[in-house]
Amino acid sequence: MLPPYVPRELVAERLPLIFPEGTPNRVYCTRELAASTVFAMLYIGAIEHTDVRLGPVHVYRMTDLQAVNSSDEQRLSYRSNLRKKSFEVPGKRWYADNTREPIRDETLREGLVAVGAVMEDKDVPTTSGKPRYALKSDLAALFDPELQGEELAAAILKWQDEHLNKGALARISLMRLGAVDQEGVLVHFPNGETRTLSYGPSSLISRAVVEVFAKRFLEKPAVLWLSESSNKVAMQDLRMASTIGLDIEAQKNLPDLILVDLGPKHPLIVFIEVVATDGAINPRRQEALFELTDKGGFKRSQVAFVTAYADRQSAGFKKTVTSLAWGSFAWFMSEPDKVVVLRDGLVRLSSLNDFFMFPD
């Protein structure tokens, strides 16, 4: 049996609800090409636990005229006859033949298959051109036109909890936390003090750096400096920085955050730039901050540089990743236990294993 007919517009409307901000490769799961792919699966009945499978051809040969033919007879005809050379689909195709690769590699394999929304039939040989994809049945149920309002919202949450992996759920939870906190961002410092920052994406990342990153990656963290766009200089931070020999001038080489790790014998100074859209630790920025610590009498081995982002999928990371300085780190609010290390040289390639300390 075919599932209920669903217009592509409804699919496009629900995909961003099912795959919210924080979903890995979200753009591949929510863009128009994804809506077209899911629509085509529902249209021909390529659902898990059936023997019907979708291939990219079912998507790129679809037309507006065919898509509105909602009768079971028309849908079955499209499914059964599409691969015949004599079969003509009325109207203008949605996509050209060369869209096959983006449908297969991005929308399906890197997007919907990767997050558990679509199954790939392993019985079909990898070299075969036969259709191999089907929508998971639990996900297909979320596109039932009768499912609306609170009932739909509850069903989506249930599906996410059961089918998205722990990493994806953690990322989504963090992004949702930021989305609802509109009154201001209260930051809890390691010494028990608090400071309220004006609401914005940079403030949310700053809070995560202080409350999460500092605790996970430093032995005895303290906040030496915290600035924000609406209040670049806090006098207590300026005094604290001065007491350890850092001469920070307002509006000149000003970092977003300075943490200090008081655990080691020689304290570690950690300069952090928060990137919502721009402003990463690049080589010029790194050298300017080194000048500060050189003047303060710190060895360069006592200084670290971190660029903090919301997520690897964020526009800020994609925009600035190519400019990140060697010898620095990148950290993501959505993956708090991990850091990216931009190592400035190794003696030999085999020492990579020593550096990463892979377990036996």
Side-chain angles (χ1 to χ4, degrees), residues 104-168:
R104 181 193 64 206
D105 298 334
E106 297 176 353
T107 298
L108 288 165
R109 291 178 179 172
E110 295 181 33
L112 297 169
V113 172
V115 298
V118 166
M119 60 157 286
E120 185 174 1
D121 194 335
K122 299 302 181 182
D123 292 333
V124 179
T126 56
T127 55
S128 172
K130 291 183 178 180
R132 65 181 70 237
Y133 301 100
L135 202 62
K136 292 288 189 73
S137 54
D138 288 350
L139 182 69
L142 298 180
F143 296 100
D144 186 340
E146 299 297 320
L147 199 59
Q148 297 286 341
E150 293 183 2
E151 188 179 357
L152 171 63
I156 288 174
L157 286 174
K158 184 175 184 292
W159 184 88
Q160 291 171 344
D161 187 54
E162 292 178 353
H163 295 277
L164 295 182
N165 62 44
K166 290 183 178 179

Side-chain angles (χ1 to χ4, degrees), residues 266-334:
H266 300 290
L268 176 71
I269 306 298
V270 185
F271 290 108
I272 298 174
E273 287 290 9
V274 168
V275 175
T277 56
D278 210 340
I281 297 282
N282 57 32
R284 182 196 61 78
R285 194 90 173 92
Q286 184 184 51
E287 193 56 37
L289 293 171
F290 265 140
E291 288 180 10
L292 275 175
T293 55
D294 290 347
K295 189 183 296 184
F298 292 93
K299 296 179 180 179
R300 292 198 170 189
S301 59
Q302 291 178 258
V303 183
F305 301 92
V306 179
T307 304
Y309 301 92
D311 189 76
R312 279 188 289 166
Q313 302 297 322
S314 68
F317 176 63
K318 293 176 181 178
K319 179 180 179 181
T320 62
V321 61
T322 57
S323 66
L324 292 176
W326 292 110
S328 70
F329 302 85
W331 180 79
F332 307 95
M333 181 174 71
S334 63

Side-chain angles (χ1 to χ4, degrees), residues 18-265:
I18 298 169
F19 304 110
E21 291 288 347
T23 302
N25 284 337
R26 182 177 186 255
V27 65
Y28 292 158
C29 300
T30 58
R31 62 186 180 182
E32 182 197 79
L33 196 57
S36 300
T37 302
V38 172
F39 167 82
M41 288 181 177
L42 293 167
Y43 189 84
I44 68 173
I47 309 295
E48 183 185 25
H49 306 310
T50 72
D51 59 359
V52 182
R53 300 291 179 261
L54 171 132
V57 66
H58 292 103
V59 183
Y60 65 75
R61 289 197 62 188
M62 181 63 71
T63 68
D64 286 340
L65 289 177
Q66 181 66 48
V68 296
N69 285 329
S70 58
S71 70
D72 285 2
E73 181 183 2
Q74 288 287 345
R75 293 166 66 184
L76 291 171
S77 174
Y78 182 78
R79 181 176 85 187
S80 304
N81 300 315
L82 182 64
R83 294 171 66 84
K84 297 178 181 178
K85 291 184 179 180
S86 60
F87 183 72
E88 293 188 10
V89 183
K92 182 181 178 181
R93 290 186 184 186
W94 279 353
Y95 307 102
D97 287 4
N98 61 8
T99 317
R100 177 189 297 106
E101 285 73 22
I103 294 169
R104 181 193 64 206
D105 298 334
E106 297 176 353
T107 298
L108 288 165
R109 291 178 179 172
E110 295 181 33
L112 297 169
V113 172
V115 298
V118 166
M119 60 157 286
E120 185 174 1
D121 194 335
K122 299 302 181 182
D123 292 333
V124 179
T126 56
T127 55
S128 172
K130 291 183 178 180
R132 65 181 70 237
Y133 301 100
L135 202 62
K136 292 288 189 73
S137 54
D138 288 350
L139 182 69
L142 298 180
F143 296 100
D144 186 340
E146 299 297 320
L147 199 59
Q148 297 286 341
E150 293 183 2
E151 188 179 357
L152 171 63
I156 288 174
L157 286 174
K158 184 175 184 292
W159 184 88
Q160 291 171 344
D161 187 54
E162 292 178 353
H163 295 277
L164 295 182
N165 62 44
K166 290 183 178 179
L169 289 172
R171 292 157 73 108
I172 291 168
S173 295
L174 282 165
M175 302 303 277
R176 280 178 175 158
L177 178 63
V180 299
D181 187 3
Q182 299 284 336
E183 299 301 319
V185 180
L186 183 64
V187 183
H188 295 82
F189 286 18
N191 65 357
E193 294 180 10
T194 61
R195 186 178 302 175
T196 300
L197 308 181
S198 59
Y199 179 79
S202 294
S203 296
L204 294 169
I205 301 171
S206 294
R207 178 175 64 183
V209 168
V210 174
E211 297 183 359
V212 181
F213 172 85
K215 293 180 181 179
R216 291 175 189 257
F217 293 98
L218 305 181
E219 294 178 37
K220 189 176 179 182
V223 177
L224 203 61
W225 172 271
L226 172 60
S227 69
E228 57 172 321
S229 58
S230 64
N231 180 27
K232 291 297 290 185
V233 180
M235 292 310 297
Q236 62 266 42
D237 294 349
L238 200 57
R239 287 193 297 269
M240 189 179 297
S242 297
T243 61
I244 66 166
L246 287 181
D247 183 18
I248 298 176
E249 301 176 44
Q251 308 303 326
K252 182 180 179 182
N253 298 326
L254 205 60
D256 292 313
L257 275 145
I258 306 176
L259 302 179
V260 58
D261 190 352
L262 301 173
K265 181 178 179 180

